[in-house]
Amino acid sequence: MEGNGQGQLVEVLTGLSKKYKGQIKVFDQDAKKYSIRELRDLGMAHIPEDRMTYGCARNMNIMDNIFTNQYHKTEYSGKVLLKNRKIENRVNELIKEYRVKTKSYRQSVGMLSGGNIQKVVVAREFSTSPAIIIANQPTRGIDVGAASFIRQRILDFRDSGCAIILISADLNEVLELSDRLAVIYKGQFSGVFNNVKNVTEVELGKYMLGIKKDDRLEGIIYEQ
Amino acid sequence: MNSSTKLNILRTLLAVFIALLISFGIIFLTSDEPVKAIVQLLTGPLQSQRRFGNVIEAMIPLIFTGVGISIMFAANEINLAGEGAFHLGGLAATYFALNTALPPVISPIATILIAGLCGMIVTGIPALMKIKTESDVLVSSLMMNYLVLYFSTYVLSNILRDPAAGAVVSFAVPSVTQLGTIFNGTRIHVGLFIALAAAAIGYIFLYKTKLGYEIRVTGENREFARYSGINVVKITLVSQLFGGAIFGIGGGVELLGMYNRFTWTSLLGYGWDAIIITTLAKKNPIYVPLAAFFLAYLRTGASIMSRSTDVVTEIVTITQGIIILLVVAEQFLSKYKHKIISKEAKAALVEKEGE
């Protein structure tokens, strides 16, 4: 259910907002001192909720859009110049791997369908082989094929040991993909489930509406 | 070249064509000798070497300003202090050239670099004000131009003024610092090469370097750039410093090439011309020389026309206005664009079925 602070939570986790109390740790380091670029270089990937606002520049082509988080790495650029040939090769690989339907990388992103734009976003975020993925509504408003493709990718990353925070309004998606599940009500965790298979939508609903609240969770997130 | 680039070129050419037709219509309505006027407007600049020289001379500053503003606008920051940067560039070049005695070759280079530095300051101040105080760049940069103008006029009349000269002009810049002419019989100066180099460097900067890429991403979508990890504050500042430097260099080159004394007591309007140029060139420095040539040609033609017929030069202002209106009007040729896109999509579909 939207409007319970998911947006703010993601902003804080991804470094877009530094206005928070408490502490976020990335690899045992305080995240507050890192810029967004540094967080990303540490292995954070972020699939934004609103792909047209945060996820792409609609008038730029696929190549320009798919590289914004890694053009500065030594593989793809020198001190001043971009290594265009290498970028081009990599972009073509990514377009193929993520099945973006387009004639060439010169197509501007705004001309693609929603599902294909999302594939560009996902390709960009996943291509850095991240260690942490924060996926906010990764399959919202896209076609079934693209959605199942993206879900499969998320599971592949889970299997390879990547930490993933999935935020979704689609309860089926949450129940299907998650290993652990947490419900936030009024800015606090109201329920955390380690065994997702036994959770029903009805039960989730109670936590989401604040009818039920897990008292053990005051202030703690979860213990492994 | 993909279809959208082609379409953009077609749109621009068609806009120019329609604007010229409308201007011709106005000439026919108002002039007693319309055919002669139109012939003069279109072919006047080609009639003698000197006239064609005028076109190239007028083109040089337009290239600098066009490139400068393309870089600033690429970051989607409407900084109009280019006008002032150009002006101060000219003043700084004069001041520096009059107060130093450097050997030939080094002297003009150093002078032009100083001019560039001053241009940077002029466009940098509104950019910094935006960062520190959230003030609107459009407003503060426009105000900046007047600050520069009156500052320059003060320096000119109190420090640089040559009392022996009849008008309010500075002392003459030493000839070692002046830029030599390339072709005899014209006033085309070495600045032409510097201008073309600036266009090439501007293009490479925006499209081939990391910084240029960051500027373009920031300009297209600031939120997206920030989310991607780009330091958008730094990038917008850099784009305006770089753009201002090119304006300043343009002012310096124009002064050393076309004038030998600082005579500018009012704003020259190059900042506005730059907007026309960048609109025609679609913010791409590589197309700026073409757009600058076109504008310079049209203006030279108009001035020849007004000298030999009863049509005034202002007709070109109307032409410019119509061109800009048509180029920026999103809906112009939108039906045709739609047709092209759907045709391409259908072709792609057929291709896929064939597989």
Side-chain angles (χ1 to χ4, degrees), chain B residues 118-130:
Chain B
C118 291
M120 231 181 214
I121 296 170
V122 177
T123 51
I125 290 174
L128 273 176
M129 277 168 67
K130 162 96 182 251

Side-chain angles (χ1 to χ4, degrees), chain B residues 240-319:
Chain B
Q240 285 163 87
L241 290 178
F242 201 95
I246 292 184
F247 267 101
I249 289 172
V253 166
E254 179 71 355
L255 195 109
L256 298 182
M258 297 292 288
Y259 302 75
N260 49 10
R261 296 161 187 268
F262 186 77
T263 60
W264 306 341
T265 49
S266 61
L267 292 172
L268 302 174
Y270 282 120
W272 302 113
D273 294 344
I275 297 175
I276 303 173
I277 305 276
T278 196
T279 311
L280 283 176
K282 291 274 163 205
K283 286 191 223 167
N284 188 340
I286 208 81
Y287 300 130
V288 162
L290 282 176
F293 178 79
F294 169 74
L295 197 62
Y297 189 93
L298 206 60
R299 287 184 175 172
T300 312
S303 126
I304 293 164
M305 174 181 72
S306 76
R307 269 181 270 143
S308 52
T309 66
D310 60 347
V311 182
V312 292
T313 46
E314 276 74 15
I315 190 77
V316 169
T317 322
I318 297 176
T319 318

Side-chain angles (χ1 to χ4, degrees), chain A residues 126-146:
Chain A
F126 288 1
S127 59
T128 51
S129 34
I132 306 162
I133 296 172
I134 294 158
N136 195 357
Q137 315 279 13
T139 62
R140 178 155 78 177
I142 62 175
D143 57 285
V144 185

Side-chain angles (χ1 to χ4, degrees), chain B residues 50 53-61 186-188 254 258:
Chain B
R50 191 179 52 81
N54 288 341
V55 174
I56 305 295
E57 291 152 23
M59 180 179 91
I60 295 168
T186 67
R187 289 193 297 162
I188 303 174
E254 179 71 355
M258 297 292 288

Side-chain angles (χ1 to χ4, degrees), chain A residues 16 36-37 40 46 48 52-56 59-60 64-65 68 71 77-80 82 111 124-125, chain B residues 2 204 207-211 213-214 216-217 220-221 223-224 226-230 341 344 348 352:
Chain A
L16 279 166
I36 299 171
R37 163 71 38 89
R40 282 181 167 280
H46 172 196
M52 297 319 281
T53 309
Y54 287 101
C56 69
N59 294 327
M60 296 183 98
D64 288 339
N65 266 288
T68 50
Y71 65 91
S77 62
K79 273 216 156 57
V80 179
L82 294 165
M111 303 281 285
R124 178 183 65 229
E125 296 306 318
Chain B
N2 62 12
I204 292 169
Y207 289 91
K208 306 283 172 196
T209 67
K210 273 197 281 191
L211 258 178
Y213 177 61
E214 288 168 327
R216 286 185 297 125
V217 175
E220 283 293 343
N221 186 345
E223 294 302 329
F224 172 52
R226 202 168 89 83
Y227 146 94
S228 304
I230 293 170
I341 292 168
E344 271 189 1
K352 218 174 116 194

Side-chain angles (χ1 to χ4, degrees), chain A residues 140-178:
Chain A
R140 178 155 78 177
I142 62 175
D143 57 285
V144 185
S148 74
F149 176 77
I150 290 169
R151 286 183 190 136
Q152 189 52 47
R153 281 275 152 176
I154 291 177
L155 290 179
D156 292 346
F157 268 97
R158 190 264 324 260
D159 294 341
S160 65
C162 176
I164 299 165
I165 298 175
L166 171 71
I167 293 168
S168 180
D170 181 349
L171 283 187
N172 287 327
E173 180 173 88
V174 171
L175 289 169
E176 189 188 328
L177 295 181
S178 311

